[in-house]
Amino acid sequence: MGSTGTINSDEFKVIAYLEKKENGTQYNWREYILLNQQKGYVTLAEFDGHWSIIKGKEFYPDLDNIEDSNGSNIRFANSDFHLFNKYVPKVTAAVGEFGEDVLNEKINAVEFVAAPYMIVKEKHGNKSTYYLGEYIDAKEIAEGFKLNLDSFPEKVGIGAIQPSTWYNRWDTLFPITGIAIVLVLLLHLLIQILKPEKELFYNNFDLVHHQVNGSDALKSFTTTSFEISDESSNLEFSISSPVSDNWLEATIVLVNNNDNRTWEVSKGFEYYSGYEDGESWSEGDRYANIMLSHIPKGKYHLNVYPYTGDPNRDTLQIKVTANSSLWRNTLITCLVLCLYPAFCWYRMRNFEKKRWDNSDYSPYIS
């Protein structure tokens, strides 16, 4: 009692101390009444080791302009405060100087939160008085009043207006991630404009069967040449064949006509269908795609080695496209950009849910 300290650059003197409980429950908390000679009184409240400093219109004149429809929300300073608690406080211990009879005073209190702030509405009959509370760390109080931080009560659970670091991270990352995704998409579109897709080769081939060691097999073949005009390109090979209840596989060797450098890829596909219990079914595909990256400028041809389990299969379609649009890579990049913000949102939501577990007016379904 009588000690002085500084909070938020304002000097205060401790003039009173109260212990209170919520009428009809076991919830109890402590309040210190502080006096600033120029501005007036504030309350420093502690519940489960969580502190808040509560000030009236002497500190916040705009409290006279609060938007209160007597519902579950209050609007103040362009922020929405949501109903958190309604209670009747009861003083169980008091020491110091008071301007009214705190022991017999009848107040109906309503709290609205928008962490790290709280609007406290005290109803005296038909009259309502508003206060603005702000979460304050015990370390700031200890430093302001030159106290030992170890003497402060330990925090229990999550405070009603305790700020969430996860919310701050989510609030920061959300617009940054949105901008990054837009930039990735714009970069993708720019690359498409500067290096548009170009069909280099397209043909249907008749597959020739022959006997190899007494077994039926398909002959390999060589395609006509095609040219890559860009300094470096990705190539997408699309192969297809109308297989039915069977499979087909092809090994494709890309050969540079000038220096005989080669790139080899293999891909297979299969397709099966039928009827079961009066319903048709199918599985697999009749086509496949293969991608090669960083293929240098030059003239090329393909050596194709087909294999099939279908002795009647006789056609194979091959298409080669340069600068194929890699939407999958772009979408994967966007997904990766969203991973940490999504984690922050998840942690933020869990934090808020635990905060509202202490309220009878939680917006979260239990």
Side-chain angles (χ1 to χ4, degrees):
M1 300 297 292
S3 61
T4 58
T6 302
I7 297 177
N8 295 334
S9 301
D10 290 322
E11 186 174 288
F12 293 99
K13 180 180 180 180
V14 181
I15 64 169
Y17 168 75
L18 297 163
E19 291 181 359
K20 293 183 177 181
K21 66 172 291 187
E22 182 177 335
N23 208 15
T25 75
Q26 296 300 313
Y27 295 119
N28 59 83
W29 66 96
R30 287 138 295 282
E31 295 182 358
Y32 298 83
I33 309 301
L34 312 182
L35 174 64
N36 175 273
Q37 294 293 346
Q38 287 73 40
K39 298 179 181 178
Y41 299 94
V42 303
T43 299
L44 194 60
E46 177 268 319
F47 175 74
D48 279 351
H50 297 278
W51 295 81
S52 57
I53 185 164
I54 303 167
K55 303 175 182 179
K57 63 181 181 180
E58 296 83 6
F59 290 82
Y60 300 109
D62 287 348
L63 284 170
D64 283 337
N65 303 322
I66 205 163
E67 299 175 35
D68 184 5
S69 59
N70 293 315
S72 59
N73 291 316
I74 274 183
R75 188 162 180 81
F76 175 70
N78 297 320
S79 296
D80 290 317
F81 291 73
H82 305 286
L83 176 61
F84 190 85
N85 197 14
K86 293 181 179 180
Y87 60 95
V88 176
K90 180 182 178 182
V91 175
T92 58
V95 59
E97 302 176 18
F98 301 96
E100 61 254 343
D101 184 359
V102 294
L103 294 178
N104 297 307
E105 189 177 32
K106 302 298 181 184
I107 296 175
N108 290 306
V110 187
E111 295 175 346
F112 300 83
V113 305
Y117 298 101
M118 172 188 289
I119 295 291
V120 181
K121 177 182 178 181
E122 292 188 351
K123 299 172 70 175
H124 308 256
N126 294 324
K127 181 184 177 183
S128 295
T129 306
Y130 299 94
Y131 302 89
L132 180 66
E134 181 180 1
Y135 192 88
I136 182 170
D137 195 88
K139 183 179 179 182
E140 186 175 346
I141 302 171
E143 291 175 351
F145 281 85
K146 296 179 174 55
L147 302 172
N148 183 358
L149 185 60
D150 293 336
S151 66
F152 279 63
E154 197 172 314
K155 288 181 182 178
V156 178
I158 293 174
I161 53 173
Q162 181 181 352
S164 167
T165 56
W166 294 106
Y167 172 82
N168 293 335
R169 292 179 190 179
W170 160 254
D171 196 45
T172 302
L173 285 172
F174 181 74
I176 293 175
T177 303
I179 293 170
I181 289 174
V182 169
L183 290 176
V184 168
L185 294 175
L186 289 176
L187 179 61
H188 180 96
L189 294 174
L190 179 62
I191 292 173
Q192 279 194 303
I193 292 171
L194 296 177
K195 297 183 69 174
E197 285 190 6
K198 186 187 302 181
E199 186 178 295
L200 302 179
F201 180 87
Y202 180 85
N203 207 343
N204 276 304
F205 297 94
D206 293 327
L207 301 177
V208 178
H209 292 257
H210 68 131
Q211 294 293 315
V212 177
N213 297 326
S215 300
D216 186 76
L218 296 175
K219 281 189 175 182
S220 60
F221 59 91
T222 300
T223 69
T224 57
S225 297
F226 54 88
E227 189 169 358
I228 298 176
S229 57
D230 294 324
E231 291 300 323
S232 178
S233 303
N234 68 58
L235 295 185
E236 182 178 31
F237 298 88
S238 300
I239 61 175
S240 63
S241 183
V243 294
S244 180
D245 294 328
N246 225 305
W247 58 272
L248 185 143
E249 184 176 327
T251 296
I252 299 176
V253 181
L254 176 69
V255 183
N256 187 298
N257 292 0
N258 297 324
D259 56 16
N260 287 324
R261 287 181 63 193
T262 61
W263 293 260
E264 181 178 315
V265 292
S266 294
K267 194 72 173 180
F269 51 87
E270 57 188 4
Y271 183 82
Y272 298 92
S273 63
Y275 286 89
E276 186 175 347
D277 297 330
E279 295 185 2
S280 62
W281 60 270
S282 64
E283 63 180 13
D285 292 305
R286 291 185 167 116
Y287 60 88
N289 294 322
I290 314 165
M291 186 72 72
L292 287 176
S293 300
H294 306 298
I295 306 301
K297 181 179 181 180
K299 204 165 188 178
Y300 294 84
H301 69 271
L302 304 177
N303 293 335
V304 184
Y305 303 89
Y307 311 91
T308 183
D310 185 357
N312 299 315
R313 184 55 38 228
D314 57 3
T315 61
L316 177 64
Q317 183 185 89
I318 299 177
K319 182 172 75 169
V320 181
T321 305
N323 303 323
S324 181
S325 180
L326 301 177
W327 275 107
R328 185 181 68 175
N329 291 356
T330 300
L331 293 177
I332 289 174
T333 301
C334 293
L335 178 62
V336 170
L337 287 172
C338 290
L339 288 179
Y340 186 65
F343 175 73
C344 291
W345 176 87
Y346 173 77
R347 293 297 300 268
M348 175 194 71
R349 187 183 184 280
N350 278 356
F351 189 96
E352 292 301 318
K353 188 175 183 300
K354 289 178 182 178
R355 180 202 309 283
W356 285 91
D357 282 346
N358 298 320
S359 170
D360 292 331
Y361 307 94
S362 173
Y364 299 94
I365 298 173
S366 175

